[in-house]
Amino acid sequence: MKDTASLGLDGIGKVFHNLSYDELFEHEKARGEGRVTENGTFSVDTGIFTGRSPKDKYFVNQDPSNKYIAWGKINHPISKELFDKLLKKAKAQLSGKDIYVQDAYAGSSQSSRRAVRFISEVAWQAHFVKNMFIRPNESELENFKPDFTIYNACKCANDEWQKDGLNSEVFVIFNIEENVGVIGGTWYGGEMKKGIFSMMNYWLPLENKFPMHCSANVGKGGDTALFFGLSGTGKTTLSTDPHRALIGDDEHGWDDEGVFNFEGGCYAKCINLSAENEPEIYAAIRKNALLENVVIDGSGKVDY
C-alpha cells in the first residue's frame, strides 16, 4: 500500500493490503489465530463476545446527522470529544504493528454501493471482511477511495467506561460526518458487518432507497422473494432454495434498479447444521470459509 499516511497511524510495521485467500490462510495459521478443521476451513474463537453488543453502539451527536438518527435503545449518542478520545485509543493500539487493510464494497448496485476500508491487526478479521462484503476487481482496487473507514482495535478496551458514562468497556462508535467507525473491546466479527449495515440504513433512506434486514432469492421468471425476520429465525435457510437463485441471506436494498445485496457472502448460524437438512449451507463450509465459535475435536472434526 503506497499511501500509508492516509491510515492515520504512527509507526506502522508491515501493511498487508488486500491479501489473497491463500495469503490470509497462511497468516492465520502462522499467527496461531485459530484452528484448521479436517476439510481445510479456518475456525476462530471470538472470546467472551459471541454476538453483537447493541448496548455499546454509539453515534456522535452532531449536526446534521443527528436529525436523521432514530435515537433510543440501540442508537445511543456520544459526544465528539469522547469519540475522538476512543479513536485516539484505537489508533494507538493499531500503531507500531503489522496491520491488515481490506477494501470492499457494500452494495452490489452501482448507484447505491459504498466503498469501505477495514483496518485491523488480526488476519482473520481481514478474512471475515473479504468473505462478507463485495470484493473489488483489480482495476477497481487500483482507484479505490474509501467512503467510510472502520478501525477494528479489538485488542483494546475502554477502562474508563464508567467515568465516560458508557455501558461497558466495549465501544462500537460511528462518526457520520467524518465517515469513520471504531470497534474496541470485542473480537466478534459481526460488529463489522452490522456496523456497515447501520450505515447503509442511514445513507440509503436519504436517497429514497429502502434498506432491508431480509434474505432474498429470485426465480427463473425474475420474480423476487424477500424473507424478513430477526437473526436466527431462518432467513438463510429459506433463501437457499435449490430451485431459485440466491441474491443474499441477510442485508439488502431496494433502489430504482431493483433488489440488491449489500454483501458478497452469507453469514449463517451453524448450530445443529447437517448436510441432510441444509445441504447448501453445509457444503459452503470449506476452505476460504470462516467458522466462528464452533466445537472441534482433536482430529479437527467440527461438532455442530
Side-chain angles (χ1 to χ4, degrees):
M1 183 175 183
K2 297 178 182 178
D3 185 20
T4 56
S6 65
L7 301 177
L9 303 177
D10 295 324
I12 302 173
K14 295 179 181 178
V15 177
F16 301 110
H17 191 202
N18 295 322
L19 296 188
S20 68
Y21 278 118
D22 287 343
E23 289 170 326
L24 285 168
F25 185 66
E26 293 304 320
H27 279 241
E28 290 163 339
K29 289 192 300 179
R31 293 160 62 95
E33 293 183 355
R35 291 185 60 189
V36 181
T37 69
E38 63 178 356
N39 75 344
T41 309
F42 199 76
S43 177
V44 300
D45 185 337
T46 65
I48 62 172
F49 294 100
T50 59
R52 288 181 297 120
S53 301
K55 293 182 179 180
D56 298 300
K57 177 182 169 188
Y58 303 89
F59 288 85
V60 177
N61 186 5
Q62 60 191 350
D63 189 65
S65 60
N66 55 11
K67 297 183 178 68
Y68 307 107
I69 295 174
W71 301 106
K73 293 182 179 180
I74 302 298
N75 300 322
H76 308 291
I78 192 173
S79 69
K80 174 68 163 56
E81 292 73 23
L82 185 48
F83 174 88
D84 289 342
K85 170 188 170 179
L86 295 176
L87 174 60
K88 182 178 180 180
K89 186 178 186 69
K91 285 185 173 182
Q93 172 64 37
L94 295 169
S95 294
K97 300 177 178 68
D98 295 344
I99 59 168
Y100 295 85
V101 178
Q102 201 69 34
D103 297 327
Y105 291 120
S108 59
S109 171
Q110 291 281 334
S111 62
S112 300
R113 76 182 185 183
R114 294 297 193 280
V116 186
R117 173 162 288 166
F118 298 86
I119 302 168
S120 174
E121 59 178 303
V122 180
W124 77 252
Q125 290 180 344
H127 182 173
F128 180 97
V129 169
K130 191 177 184 74
N131 273 7
M132 200 72 261
F133 293 95
I134 297 167
R135 295 181 290 277
N137 60 37
E138 289 300 321
S139 62
E140 289 171 331
L141 285 174
E142 287 179 8
N143 302 300
F144 192 91
K145 294 181 180 180
D147 300 309
F148 198 84
T149 299
I150 285 189
Y151 292 90
N152 191 330
C154 62
K155 293 185 180 182
C156 77
N158 180 20
D159 53 5
E160 296 183 330
W161 64 273
Q162 290 174 306
K163 173 186 170 183
D164 293 334
L166 302 182
N167 176 67
S168 79
E169 63 183 10
V170 174
F171 53 96
V172 182
I173 52 179
F174 301 89
N175 187 322
I176 293 176
E177 275 66 33
E178 295 182 7
N179 291 309
V180 173
V182 188
I183 298 170
T186 172
W187 289 64
Y188 182 61
E191 292 288 6
M192 295 182 286
K193 164 190 163 68
K194 288 298 185 182
I196 296 303
F197 184 48
S198 294
M199 290 309 307
M200 294 294 274
N201 271 272
Y202 174 85
W203 289 317
L204 293 192
L206 296 177
E207 300 173 359
N208 294 316
K209 299 169 183 177
F210 188 27
M212 302 176 289
H213 184 206
C214 67
S215 62
N217 61 28
V218 61
K220 294 180 180 179
D223 54 305
T224 300
L226 305 176
F227 303 90
F228 290 88
L230 298 174
S231 295
T233 55
K235 295 189 302 298
T236 302
T237 302
L238 289 171
S239 61
T240 53
D241 185 327
H243 304 294
R244 298 173 63 85
L246 177 68
I247 298 176
D249 80 319
D250 195 45
E251 300 173 3
H252 294 83
W254 197 338
D255 63 13
D256 290 340
E257 305 302 317
V259 172
F260 62 95
N261 195 357
F262 287 172
E263 302 173 333
C266 290
Y267 197 31
K269 287 180 170 58
C270 295
I271 187 167
N272 296 322
L273 180 65
S274 69
E276 294 73 27
N277 294 334
E278 297 174 278
E280 289 85 3
I281 299 173
Y282 190 89
I285 301 175
R286 56 185 188 273
K287 188 177 179 183
N288 298 340
L290 189 67
L291 282 166
E292 291 178 308
N293 307 313
V294 298
V295 176
I296 308 173
D297 67 16
S299 67
K301 183 177 181 180
V302 180
D303 182 356
Y304 294 109

